[in-house]
Amino acid sequence: MSHLVTPLTSPTAQLAAELPSIDQLARAIDRDGLTAVPAAAIDHVIEVGRIAGVSPVLAEVLADTTAPAAVRERAFGLLAMRILARATRADFTLAA
């Protein structure tokens, strides 16, 4: 009996492709603050987080424009770190 290792069909490659844009967004937030970032960019990060299976609570906090900027920025950072962790983890399954 032979065993093969085959990649799962997962969003890992798609998530990895998003990392440069998330990094660029993080730099913009650091430089100019969250209020200078277009809402569409935030919505995109939230969608990537959803695809990655990251905490919806972090997404809700990031999306809440009534929350203090520091709270939203921290939510962004945690969301981005979890997306990074998910994007850099290889998913494999054994097939017999």
Side-chain angles (χ1 to χ4, degrees):
M1 177 188 324
S2 75
H3 295 280
L4 301 173
V5 177
T6 58
L8 288 173
T9 54
S10 72
T12 304
Q14 180 183 358
L15 294 175
E18 294 291 339
L19 294 180
S21 64
I22 292 173
D23 182 58
Q24 187 176 33
L25 183 58
R27 291 175 192 276
I29 291 170
D30 184 47
R31 182 183 59 244
D32 303 322
L34 196 55
T35 56
V37 174
I42 298 300
D43 292 342
H44 182 72
V45 171
I46 291 169
E47 178 62 19
V48 171
R50 186 193 63 75
I51 291 167
V54 177
S55 169
V57 174
L58 289 174
E60 287 177 26
V61 172
L62 179 58
D64 183 1
T65 57
T66 64
V71 172
R72 292 181 68 212
E73 289 169 4
R74 184 173 178 91
F76 169 81
L78 292 169
L79 190 67
M81 286 188 336
R82 291 190 174 129
I83 291 168
L84 171 65
R86 178 66 191 257
T88 57
R89 188 186 85 226
D91 292 326
F92 290 93
T93 185
L94 289 176

